């Protein structure tokens, strides 16, 4: 999606011209000059539908499609305003709408931006989308509005992730956490410590320029104190994030369901090895198997349990019963339950009873979708086939979200931020500690400066002052279109 770029954290201070030149390249690379449009309201019919647009030439695009009720031209409006009017669509009567107009740059994306609020009728919204595309806009990529907000400096990366945290919030607690992060709670702590380190580095480097004249811009004592303050703040943040990440590593996700629904096959498909025994004979998985699952930066222990069918009396019934008891216990202890339903048959009474029970962290999966479908299950579920691989990526993505949410419950940072930032904060904390030791042992100010640079680069990655296309891809690809 993006051209590779790793910015020097000191670029802004050292060379404004170079930073501006890099920005110019970015502007081209990220097609910031194009006008983008997307339906921003949820899919399906509703009382109100919303189209969102952004781009420097947005006014020209809107003027071809939108007519203000009072015949005002958008060029006359310099403040954020709501204008009642209508859309001219081919083949239909003018469509009444409200235009929310932000001429920019004080908008979410930092550019001219608009929202068209009209009837939430999908064919009408599609027609409006097409009319706006004919007038010069193009369809927005997932997360592109928030990416623009980041590139224009309106949000840092922790805030961009908070936007996603708000969209995905599972309840009032996670909503509050995301809101606090969006307001800059985490970002401002990081920016403060980064600014302090940049000042410290500038003073050290000024000293190097006057080394012959024996001029010190900062005393040994001041240097030690400021490094200690920064190291303490970063180490504290790193510890917090670390405990969060460790928490996700302990998350247990269990595959649960009636015998023969395809749990072991799914286990093998997800774990990528033939670990579980797959059989046509119900209840083959007698004990349970585990596999460490890596899910794009988060990890969990995936557990395949025995089926739960009591079965007829027989010599192996005690073994079956013991395995079933173990399976139920695994399911109860797990943070995430991947509950599997066989799509080739109707839901049975046991499954119905389980579905009726509330369970936090449950993901519903329909298995064997490559076979003729006879399920009567009508709820939402990820549709998978272990044979063709269909739906496995979607399941991995849903599992990742569930694992991250379960592993970071009750903590005060959006889970995705915690997982992404843990490594950078640890690196930064270690460099600052080394810098402190160097000052203590008179190890030379050049080496101290080098350690501070490493710490700054790592901190820059957390807030997004230093970034690569990988980081941006990873963050913004999780957004939906229109955000
Ligand atoms: P478990 O008892 O729930 O662990 O079920 P298994 O994974 O052992 O699968 C039971 C049977 O269903 C085996 O014959 C599998 O080969 C078959 N099966 C499992 N998943 C699929 C699938 O996605 N497609 C097809 N066609 N068969 C599947």
């Amino acid at each position: 999606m993006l051209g590779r770029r790793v910015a020097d954290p000191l670029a802004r201070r050292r060379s404004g011209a170079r930073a501006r030149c890099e920005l110019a390249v970015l502007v081209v690379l990220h097609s910031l000059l194009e006008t983008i449009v997307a339906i921003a309201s949820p899919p399906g019919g509703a009382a109100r539908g919303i189209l969102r647009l952004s781009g420097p030439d947005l006014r020209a695009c809107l003027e071809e499609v939108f007519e203000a009720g009072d015949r005002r031209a958008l060029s006359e409006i310099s403040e954020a305003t709501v204008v009642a009017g209508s859309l001219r669509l081919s083949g239909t009567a003018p469509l009444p709408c409200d235009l929310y107009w932000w001429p920019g740059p004080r908008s979410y994306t930092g550019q001219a931006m608009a929202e068209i609020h009209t009837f939430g009728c999908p064919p009408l919204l599609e027609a409006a989308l097409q009319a706006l595309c004919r007038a010069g806009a193009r369809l927005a990529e997932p997360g592109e509005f928030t990416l623009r907000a980041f590139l224009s400096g309106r949000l840092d990366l922790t805030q961009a992730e908070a936007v996603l945290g708000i969209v995905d919030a599972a309840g009032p607690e996670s909503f509050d956490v995301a809101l606090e992060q969006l307001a800059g709670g985490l970002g401002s702590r990081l920016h403060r410590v980064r600014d302090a380190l940049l000042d410290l580095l500038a003073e050290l480097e000024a000293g190097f320029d006057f080394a012959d004249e024996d001029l010190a811009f900062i005393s040994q004592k001041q240097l030690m104190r400021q490094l200690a303050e920064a190291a303490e703040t970063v180490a504290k943040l790193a510890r917090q994030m670390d405990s969060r990440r460790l928490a996700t590593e302990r998350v247990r996700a269990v595959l649960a369901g009636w015998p023969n629904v395809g749990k072991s096959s799914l286990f093998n498909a997800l774990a990528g090895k033939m670990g579980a025994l797959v059989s046509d004979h119900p209840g083959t998985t007698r004990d349970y198997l585990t596999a460490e699952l890596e899910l794009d930066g988060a990890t969990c222990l995936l557990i395949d349990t025995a089926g739960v069918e009591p079965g007829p009396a027989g010599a192996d019934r005690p073994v079956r019963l013991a395995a079933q008891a173990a399976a139920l216990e695994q399911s109860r202890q797990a943070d995430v339950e991947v509950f599997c339903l066989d799509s080739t048959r109707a839901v049975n009474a046991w499954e119905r009873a389980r579905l009726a029970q509330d369970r936090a962290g449950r993901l519903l999966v329909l298995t064997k979708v490559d076979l003729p479908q006879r399920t009567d299950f009508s709820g939402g579920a990820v549709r998978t086939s272990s044979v063709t691989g269909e739906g496995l990526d979607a399941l991995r993505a849903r599992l990742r979200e569930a694992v991250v949410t379960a592993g970071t419950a009750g903590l005060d940072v959006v889970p995705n931020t915690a997982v992404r930032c843990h490594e950078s904060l640890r690196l930064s904390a270690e460099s600052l500690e080394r810098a402190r030791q160097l000052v203590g042992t008179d190890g030379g100010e050049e080496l101290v400066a080098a350690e501070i640079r490493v710490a700054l680069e790592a901190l820059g990655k957390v807030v997004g002052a230093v970034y690569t296309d990988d980081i941006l891809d990873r963050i913004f690809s999780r957004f939906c279109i229109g955000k």
Side-chain angles (χ1 to χ4, degrees):
M1 159 166 93
L2 303 156
R4 186 158 201 88
R5 168 183 187 257
V6 181
D8 177 346
L10 305 176
R12 244 177 273 161
R13 293 200 173 204
R14 283 213 188 115
S15 160
R18 195 179 130 205
R20 273 196 299 280
C21 171
E22 280 178 356
L23 189 65
V25 173
L26 276 174
V27 166
V28 176
L29 283 175
H30 303 313
S31 0
L32 287 176
L33 296 174
E34 294 171 354
T35 299
I36 53 171
V37 61
I39 298 176
S41 43
R48 176 162 277 221
I50 301 173
L51 291 145
R52 184 168 294 147
L53 300 108
S54 173
D57 293 331
L58 177 56
R59 201 181 64 207
C61 169
L62 282 172
E63 277 170 351
E64 290 211 18
V65 182
F66 173 78
E67 191 161 333
D70 57 6
R71 309 266 166 211
R72 250 189 310 171
L74 291 181
S75 54
E76 294 166 28
I77 305 172
S78 56
E79 294 281 302
T81 314
V82 186
V83 190
S86 58
L87 296 180
R88 289 184 291 266
L89 305 179
S90 58
T92 65
L95 177 66
C97 68
D98 285 329
L99 176 75
Y100 289 67
W101 172 238
W102 293 268
R106 283 171 49 212
S107 69
Y108 179 63
T109 57
Q111 308 180 306
M113 197 177 158
E115 282 184 7
I116 296 169
H117 291 219
T118 183
F119 304 114
C121 161
L124 281 179
L125 290 174
E126 273 303 322
L129 197 63
Q130 280 172 19
L132 289 160
C133 286
R134 277 195 298 275
R138 70 156 166 86
L139 295 179
E141 301 283 335
E144 199 170 358
F145 290 93
T146 308
L147 176 63
R148 287 187 178 197
F150 165 68
L151 291 173
S152 68
R154 302 286 290 170
L155 298 179
D156 69 23
L157 278 190
T158 67
Q159 290 170 307
E161 282 167 326
V163 172
L164 197 58
I166 287 174
V167 177
D168 288 345
E173 260 178 43
S174 40
F175 183 76
D176 284 351
V177 166
L179 218 49
E180 155 78 9
Q181 188 166 315
L182 180 62
L186 172 66
S188 63
R189 272 182 283 169
L190 289 162
H191 284 296
R192 264 202 305 277
V193 69
R194 213 170 155 265
D195 279 349
L197 285 171
L198 279 168
D199 287 340
L200 199 57
L201 190 57
E203 282 174 307
L204 275 176
E205 289 191 339
F208 302 157
D209 292 341
F210 295 94
D212 294 344
E213 285 136 69
D214 213 13
L215 259 180
F217 282 74
I218 182 164
S219 73
Q220 201 71 353
K221 206 166 142 196
Q222 276 174 315
L223 183 59
M224 195 59 152
R225 185 177 51 75
Q226 290 185 25
L227 271 177
E229 273 173 22
E232 195 185 327
T233 310
V234 176
K236 199 166 148 198
L237 279 168
R239 267 198 309 277
Q240 285 173 354
M241 303 269 183
D242 198 23
S243 63
R244 272 153 217 174
R245 198 183 127 87
L246 283 177
T248 75
E249 280 167 5
R250 283 194 298 270
V251 169
R252 298 161 74 87
V254 70
L255 286 159
W258 191 252
N260 234 25
V261 293
K263 299 182 295 299
S264 301
S265 308
L266 210 50
F267 179 89
N268 290 333
L270 287 170
K273 61 178 185 208
M274 293 300 288
L277 179 60
V278 176
S279 158
D280 279 337
H281 183 70
T284 310
T285 318
R286 286 290 159 77
D287 210 333
Y288 64 88
L289 293 167
T290 63
E292 182 97 357
L293 209 59
E294 160 68 33
L295 300 160
D296 192 10
T299 51
C300 73
L301 198 66
L302 183 67
I303 303 165
D304 182 25
T305 60
V308 284
E309 195 177 25
D316 65 344
R317 189 173 159 85
V319 180
R320 265 189 278 130
L321 286 176
Q324 285 148 15
L328 283 174
E329 187 55 22
Q330 287 292 341
S331 248
R332 221 175 36 79
Q333 285 177 5
D335 309 279
V336 178
E337 181 188 70
V338 182
F339 193 71
C340 303
L341 293 167
D342 189 334
S343 68
T344 66
R345 61 161 174 79
V347 175
N348 67 28
W350 179 84
E351 289 168 335
R352 220 172 279 290
R354 281 292 290 269
L355 287 171
Q357 289 165 10
D358 253 357
R359 193 213 193 274
R362 177 186 282 157
L363 276 181
L364 290 176
V365 173
L366 273 172
T367 58
K368 311 186 192 177
V369 298
D370 57 297
L371 295 175
Q373 301 292 286
R374 296 204 186 83
T375 182
D376 54 351
F377 180 70
S378 56
V382 188
R383 295 171 53 79
T384 63
S385 163
S386 305
V387 171
T388 64
E390 184 182 338
L392 292 182
D393 281 347
L395 177 57
R396 269 196 202 92
R398 292 280 307 279
L399 191 54
R400 181 187 186 281
E401 293 303 326
V403 163
V404 167
T405 305
T408 56
L411 300 160
D412 64 355
V413 169
V414 166
N416 281 322
T417 309
V419 173
R420 176 179 65 84
C421 300
H422 152 260
E423 191 54 23
S424 299
L425 284 172
R426 191 184 59 75
L427 264 177
S428 178
E430 282 175 9
S431 291
L432 291 175
E433 189 47 45
R434 276 197 299 275
R436 243 156 56 104
Q437 285 168 11
L438 283 165
V439 175
T441 56
D442 252 342
E445 291 190 344
E446 278 87 354
L447 291 181
V448 175
E451 292 293 352
I452 295 177
R453 272 192 216 103
V454 175
L456 275 168
E457 169 126 358
L459 282 181
K461 280 190 182 148
V462 177
V463 287
V466 181
Y467 56 83
T468 64
D469 48 350
D470 295 351
I471 295 179
L472 295 192
D473 264 350
R474 191 176 264 219
I475 293 173
F476 290 98
S477 62
R478 295 204 180 104
F479 280 73
C480 50
I481 291 179
K483 292 290 176 303

